[in-house]
Amino acid sequence: MAVLAQAAEVAARQGLGALTIGDLAARTHLSKSGLFAHFQSKEVLQLDVLAYARDRFVDEVIRPATRAPRGEARVRALFEHWAVVGRQGHAECLFVSAAAEFDDQPGPVRDQLVRDHRDFIDSIAQMFRTGIAEGEFRPDADPEQFAFELHGIMLGYFHAHRLLQDPRAGERTRRAFETVLADYRIAPPPAEPDSAESPAPAVAAARS
Amino acid sequence: MAVLAQAAEVAARQGLGALTIGDLAARTHLSKSGLFAHFQSKEVLQLDVLAYARDRFVDEVIRPATRAPRGEARVRALFEHWAVVGRQGHAECLFVSAAAEFDDQPGPVRDQLVRDHRDFIDSIAQMFRTGIAEGEFRPDADPEQFAFELHGIMLGYFHAHRLLQDPRAGERTRRAFETVLADYRIAPPPAEPDSAESPAPAVAAARS
DNA sequence: GCCCGGTACGAACGATCGTGCTGTAATGGA
DNA sequence: TCCATTACAGCACGATCGTTCGTACCGGGC
């Protein structure tokens, strides 16, 4: 539905709570009551927008990633698609702002938000798990810990990119991602013995 | 002003945009016009709330941290105080939700938000810099990169703690923090030579 | 004494909020 | 061709939004 696309765009910009029926009706060239007839209430509208954004996110981030080869390549694909979606200010910002908005007001919207997010975190952890099974990640690593850290990096990215408009946000994000990945990867390039003052070139390159 | 404390609490819960003058007047047992007289407009109210929250944050997080010894101890103190404030749902959530809310709507509130946040990031970077000067952190490290990564971790913490109510959020956050710190610390405990299959115990301990 | 700036009030404003009810033009299967 | 369904518009409702106005009370300086 084209209405939901418009609604999602507005909600991503102003927040789910600031999404107003009258404003949305004007944007879609519909009457307020005509638009309202499609949803029984504003809450249903918010839930529909959330579902729409989730479908978009699955289509543009998760599914493309699962088409990449299992293991680190898949995790990298997830990262890349995720960053692209966030950069364009699409669905992702909706989830970030909605999460901050509804983190303290109970109700169906919050519940759905929690479910969606838990599912996504589980997807990340699962992709990481296949990386362990493929022998690319350390077998003693905690997949949910990796999901937590990756998610934090992306939150920082959206923050720096959208609010601060830091032109180096992308570069910083990628560097943090590579560092985390390097920490979890199996068989890191062995450092030269006792090179505390002059760190291993591979590590230094990953950090500069 | 007690009114601002109430306003900050509401804004932290519902967001700065959902902070309404009538609602705030009822909470403070004032008439709407009587309360409105103190601020010339809602925008000024939002800015005042922001300034109030910033002062609280400086008092409860930044200043206590600067009283800790220079170097890693100070960075750790910052982390601890930051986590405590975020856990109690005080000022920090206001900044997180406000950032997500105003990241796409220009105006004085957004500008102030950006200034405050840049200042805070700079504070983190500066604390890290003293750690370099003290010889505790790698001299080739990028302080702003560290600030970015720490900030991302905390964003992930607030998200997991407040929205998902993950009981393991604190533990995950601390682990991520220790990992990042270990990456930036100088003179990591030297790994046994050629221990690719069995990683160094110190690293494994930091991750489990 | 008087005046004055601050602080608070009640009432009201136009606008917009979410939400109903009613009417109607279009549509598609029987 | 008829009829049920759908998709919309029009209008109106009570509530609440931010804001303004006029008006008190109350303190201290002239």
Side-chain angles (χ1 to χ4, degrees):
Chain A
M1 175 119 45
V3 174
L4 281 180
Q6 269 278 342
E9 192 173 327
V10 175
R13 242 178 263 278
Q14 330 256 356
L16 256 186
L19 175 62
T20 217
I21 292 182
D23 177 69
L24 183 58
R27 283 174 203 270
T28 54
H29 305 288
L30 284 182
S31 69
K32 221 168 47 146
S33 56
L35 185 142
F36 184 80
H38 291 288
F39 321 93
Q40 299 84 348
S41 72
K42 183 179 181 180
E43 198 169 59
V44 174
L45 167 64
Q46 291 175 327
L47 289 171
D48 285 357
V49 170
L50 224 53
Y52 174 82
R54 172 173 40 101
D55 290 346
R56 300 275 298 176
F57 189 73
V58 169
D59 284 350
E60 298 177 9
V61 177
I62 297 185
R63 252 205 282 277
T66 56
R67 278 197 285 270
R70 295 161 52 93
E72 179 176 332
R74 183 170 298 177
V75 174
R76 295 194 98 95
L78 175 75
F79 172 77
E80 298 295 342
H81 286 94
W82 196 357
V84 167
V85 165
R87 199 173 310 131
Q88 298 169 342
H90 276 20
E92 176 57 25
C93 312
L94 203 164
F95 282 109
V96 173
S97 64
E101 201 174 341
F102 285 85
D103 65 352
D104 237 347
Q105 37 201 92
V109 178
R110 195 201 121 103
D111 295 344
Q112 184 61 44
L113 218 47
V114 171
R115 268 195 298 271
D116 287 347
H117 201 86
R118 289 225 173 99
D119 287 349
F120 179 50
I121 291 288
D122 287 348
S123 296
I124 303 179
Q126 188 53 36
M127 290 188 195
F128 186 84
R129 242 176 240 114
T130 72
I132 298 179
E134 294 291 315
E136 295 179 353
F137 296 136
R138 312 162 55 100
D140 62 333
D142 178 359
E144 301 192 12
Q145 178 72 20
F146 173 80
F148 175 86
E149 295 178 7
L150 175 56
H151 183 245
I153 290 175
M154 297 312 285
L155 283 180
Y157 171 56
F158 298 138
H159 193 94
H161 176 64
R162 296 185 59 81
L163 178 69
L164 275 46
Q165 293 183 322
D166 184 355
R168 279 195 264 205
E171 157 199 346
R172 291 242 148 77
T173 306
R174 175 159 270 103
R175 229 201 289 184
F177 176 66
E178 296 294 343
T179 303
V180 168
L181 222 52
D183 275 342
Y184 281 104
R185 199 156 27 209
I186 217 165
E192 286 88 305
D194 278 327
S195 61
E197 280 72 31
S198 66
V203 180
R207 192 174 281 108
S208 65
Chain B
M1 175 123 40
V3 174
L4 281 179
Q6 270 278 341
E9 192 173 327
V10 175
R13 241 178 263 278
Q14 330 257 355
L16 255 186
L19 175 62
T20 216
I21 291 182
D23 176 69
L24 183 58
R27 282 175 202 270
T28 53
H29 305 290
L30 283 181
S31 68
K32 220 168 46 146
S33 55
L35 185 142
F36 185 80
H38 291 289
F39 321 93
Q40 299 84 348
S41 72
K42 183 179 181 179
E43 200 169 58
V44 174
L45 167 64
Q46 292 176 326
L47 289 171
D48 285 357
V49 170
L50 224 53
Y52 174 83
R54 172 173 40 101
D55 290 346
R56 300 275 299 176
F57 189 73
V58 169
D59 284 349
E60 299 178 9
V61 178
I62 297 186
R63 252 205 284 276
T66 56
R67 277 197 284 269
R70 295 160 54 94
E72 180 175 331
R74 183 170 297 176
V75 174
R76 295 193 99 94
L78 175 76
F79 171 78
E80 299 295 342
H81 285 94
W82 195 357
V84 167
V85 164
R87 199 172 311 130
Q88 298 170 342
H90 275 21
E92 177 56 25
C93 311
L94 203 164
F95 282 108
V96 173
S97 65
E101 202 174 341
F102 285 87
D103 66 353
D104 236 347
Q105 35 201 97
V109 178
R110 196 201 121 101
D111 295 344
Q112 184 61 44
L113 219 47
V114 171
R115 268 194 298 272
D116 286 347
H117 202 88
R118 289 225 173 99
D119 287 348
F120 178 51
I121 292 287
D122 287 348
S123 296
I124 304 179
Q126 188 53 37
M127 291 187 194
F128 186 83
R129 243 178 239 113
T130 73
I132 298 180
E134 294 291 314
E136 296 179 352
F137 296 137
R138 311 163 56 100
D140 62 332
D142 179 358
E144 302 192 11
Q145 179 71 21
F146 173 78
F148 175 86
E149 295 178 7
L150 175 55
H151 183 245
I153 290 175
M154 298 312 286
L155 283 179
Y157 171 55
F158 298 137
H159 193 94
H161 176 64
R162 296 184 58 81
L163 178 70
L164 274 48
Q165 293 183 322
D166 184 356
R168 280 195 264 206
E171 156 199 348
R172 291 241 147 77
T173 306
R174 174 159 270 103
R175 227 201 290 186
F177 176 67
E178 296 294 343
T179 303
V180 167
L181 222 52
D183 275 341
Y184 281 104
R185 198 156 27 207
I186 216 167
E192 285 88 305
D194 278 327
S195 61
E197 280 72 29
S198 66
V203 180
R207 190 174 283 107
S208 66

